Amino acid sequence: QKEVEQNSGPLSVPEGAIASLNCTYSDRGSQSFFWYRQYSGKSPELIMFIYSNGDKEDGRFTAQLNKASQYVSLLIRDSQPSDSATYLCAVNAPTLIQGAQKLVFGQGTRLTINP
Amino acid sequence: GAVVSQHPSWVICKSGTSVKIECRSLDFQATTMFWYRQFPKQSLMLMATSNEGSKATYEQGVEKDKFLINHASLTLSTLTVTSAHPEDSSFYICSARKDRVQETQYFGPGTRLLVL
């Protein structure tokens, strides 16, 4: 079982609709959860992070975390063509360096917003 | 802000040569930096974690003698690909962690390496 799993897509959503991206993780000890957006040929950029159960909203983006079910999701409201990208879910994990954490990434979900 | 730069943005080299990639945190100090590699249509794969002033910790399967990492200061980490071969051609991306509390990583723009 992969540590972080995402549906690779492609996920196609009409412009103006809500895009829903899901991610599950295997380590119950994980505390920090991140969503990154990666445009083709570019490096990832941080969209949101969430640490507590429930919803966290930032503009058109809402991250949802359910630690009991070990899933985290990202909702994008009023989807725009510029939202078309690959969305990476990342979860923290310990490293061999004391006190340091690393991020484990899912394979990413490719999202296409259709005008 | 949290800006991370990388240099060079792309490099083409002959097989057998060494290539050095720099990663800098421009507006914050980063005690921990990370190096990733990404092949086309695949996700990010962590290569190593480095703390300023100490040896890097490499992920399983990553050759430490081939991918030399130096984290000489709180704002600079370098990755040297030694004796590069065509199979090392990839997109190399660094990230820097801004603080220990939030664990948030900010990524550099990446370096595209092509080994001929």
Side-chain angles (χ1 to χ4, degrees):
Chain A
Q1 180 187 7
K2 293 182 181 178
E3 293 182 69
V4 180
E5 293 207 47
Q6 295 179 254
N7 187 324
S8 62
L11 175 64
S12 188
V13 173
E15 183 176 358
I18 297 176
S20 177
L21 304 161
N22 300 313
C23 171
T24 59
Y25 59 95
S26 60
D27 186 357
R28 282 194 172 275
S30 296
Q31 298 293 321
S32 307
F33 307 88
F34 304 83
W35 282 100
Y36 286 86
R37 176 176 62 197
Q38 186 175 25
Y39 291 111
S40 180
K42 303 294 186 182
S43 67
E45 57 179 316
L46 179 68
I47 297 177
M48 292 187 72
F49 57 84
I50 185 168
Y51 305 125
S52 304
N53 275 327
D55 295 358
K56 179 182 179 183
E57 188 175 315
D58 183 1
R60 295 187 296 112
F61 299 96
T62 299
Q64 298 175 319
L65 174 61
N66 184 322
K67 291 185 178 180
S69 301
Q70 294 177 245
Y71 85 79
V72 57
S73 63
L74 179 70
L75 301 178
I76 307 174
R77 291 182 299 281
D78 187 24
S79 298
Q80 303 297 310
S82 58
D83 294 328
S84 299
T86 296
Y87 288 79
L88 300 169
C89 170
V91 177
N92 75 305
T95 70
L96 295 177
I97 300 175
Q98 186 177 7
Q101 300 274 313
K102 65 180 181 181
L103 291 183
V104 178
F105 285 84
Q107 64 185 57
T109 297
R110 188 157 56 92
L111 174 66
T112 300
I113 306 300
N114 300 309
Chain B
V3 182
V4 178
S5 70
Q6 268 184 256
H7 178 79
S9 57
W10 59 271
V11 59
I12 302 174
C13 69
K14 293 181 179 180
S15 184
T17 60
S18 294
V19 176
K20 179 186 282 189
I21 303 170
E22 291 185 350
C23 176
R24 294 182 185 273
S25 56
L26 298 184
D27 54 358
F28 66 99
Q29 293 184 331
T31 55
T32 305
M33 289 185 170
F34 305 84
W35 286 96
Y36 295 84
R37 181 167 54 180
Q38 186 176 37
F39 292 106
K41 299 191 184 301
Q42 295 187 23
S43 190
L44 294 167
M45 294 302 297
L46 180 65
M47 299 175 67
T49 302
S50 72
N51 272 2
E52 184 266 339
S54 62
K55 290 184 179 180
T57 301
Y58 291 81
E59 294 297 300
Q60 191 174 7
V62 177
E63 300 174 58
K64 59 182 66 178
D65 293 332
K66 180 170 184 61
F67 299 100
L68 301 179
I69 292 173
N70 184 276
H71 194 156
S73 76
L74 288 172
T75 59
L76 173 64
S77 176
T78 60
L79 168 69
T80 301
V81 183
T82 62
S83 186
H85 288 95
E87 58 266 29
D88 298 323
S89 299
S90 187
F91 191 36
Y92 292 86
I93 313 172
C94 73
S95 72
R97 190 179 67 180
K98 190 174 182 180
D99 62 68
R100 287 183 177 272
V101 175
Q102 291 189 343
E103 303 292 343
T104 306
Q105 291 184 29
Y106 295 89
F107 285 85
T111 297
R112 204 161 295 279
L113 171 64
L114 177 61
V115 184
L116 302 176

